[in-house]
Amino acid sequence: MKIMSINAGSSSLKFSLFDMDKEEVLASGLFERIGIDQSNYVIKYNGTKIKQEIDLPDHSVAVSLLLEKLVELGIIRSLSEIDGVGHRIVSGGDYYKESVLITDKVIQDLIDLKDFAPLHNPAHVLGINSFKKVLPNTPMVAVFDTAFHQTMDEVSYLYPVPYSWYEDYKVRKYGAHGTSHRYIALTLQKELKRDDLRIISCHLGNGGSITAIKDGKCIDTSMGFTPLAGIMMGTRSGDIDPSIIPFVMEKEGKNASEVIDDLNKRSGFLGLSRYSSDARDIVNGVLEGKENCILAEQKFIRTVVSYIANYYVLLGGCDVLCFTAGIGENSVPFRMKIVEKLACLGFKLDIEANQAVGGFKKISADDSKSLIYVLPTNEELMIARDTLEIINR
Ligand code: AMP
């Protein structure tokens, strides 16, 4: 069966088409700058890559073109070969604890949840409606970034604020990157042939989150009401004292949204280093002795290590510490410096194995108290698997 996995953003549409019999990617690509100038697309298939600049006034045009190209390039013979379409959804609030078949009611819920993901949920709805137009009879499934974290108990998900904020406005921790953390948990359980693992999953990319997982279920996670909370990130601050916000508003004559924008877009690596949001640049800056990069690197490591230590205690130990996403999968020095700081908890790297970049690999030393793995995340495959499973029910 062939399943399409879709991630629709406000001006972009990312896709992967899977042959689910072998869980193989038949084609993948990105439609970018939808609704603005210089819109273009890239499609990769069969070792070939095509790229074209073309007018994409809206998501429907992008979706029609994508499907047209899949047939034209011989990737599928006809649109009826697509058995289902899975959509990545950033926020399912506390309505959705797992993936669901998309109905009109689900679409309305996504619209109602827009306050929790103002940039993302409306874009997902655009993506869904565009596919509905071209493939009206093909089942579609919504896969939520928040769903995996719905197993947190209220001690984890409630903030110590007036309870009415939760009752009246649903102010609570929702978390993010849930599809990635779920993929990590399932893959480790399968590879290590154990369901009862205590896992600390470190998704360290441009956005980053750390999740404590026990018996395959999320116990706690570092992102919060929004993806601004938790560890320091590429351009996001992570946890800060909220009193800073009105203080800076007054000092700089900004409104709350403008300060939140600073915390989302001009903080993290970028804010502290005043150099770059990209971890590779920070690593290079450190090698060149740039003091601001050294500071940014140390702060990032400190926040990551604090969350790992916190979850180590919460889980009563750790069977597997796992690194994933851009930094987690690729950065040898970041993994090394993080694990060095965890020596007092018995974590120890195999320095040679840690040179690994890409691929699933054990990187802990034989005398490490916990196993340490690198595991490339695969949210697209997780979305396709859920879609297949739900349409086959
Ligand atoms: P992601 O959001 O998962 O695509 O990850 C993006 C982040 O991964 C950026 O900060 C990149 O600098 C970082 N990254 C990718 N490759 C490397 C690498 N080889 N070393 C350090 N960071 C990397």
Side-chain angles (χ1 to χ4, degrees), residues 203-207 234 269 277-281 283 324-334 357 377:
H203 179 114
L204 307 180
N206 189 38
F269 277 137
S277 63
D278 192 297
R280 279 165 294 203
D281 295 339
V283 169
T324 194
I327 301 171
E329 288 167 32
N330 300 302
S331 183
V332 174
F334 268 114
V357 171
T377 193

Side-chain angles (χ1 to χ4, degrees), residues 192-254:
L192 303 180
K193 300 182 178 56
R194 271 182 62 185
D195 290 338
D196 61 341
L197 295 169
R198 292 163 300 176
I199 299 169
I200 301 177
S201 172
C202 304
H203 179 114
L204 307 180
N206 189 38
S209 65
I210 301 187
T211 296
I213 300 164
K214 196 171 187 184
D215 305 335
K217 292 194 169 67
C218 168
I219 304 297
D220 203 354
T221 191
S222 61
M223 282 178 166
F225 179 62
T226 72
L228 179 53
I231 61 170
M232 171 177 147
M233 301 171 230
T235 59
R236 280 174 252 171
S237 61
D239 301 334
I240 60 158
D241 180 343
S243 312
I244 294 170
I245 298 171
F247 180 80
V248 173
M249 282 166 65
E250 202 178 314
K251 291 283 175 204
E252 300 205 341
K254 289 180 170 168

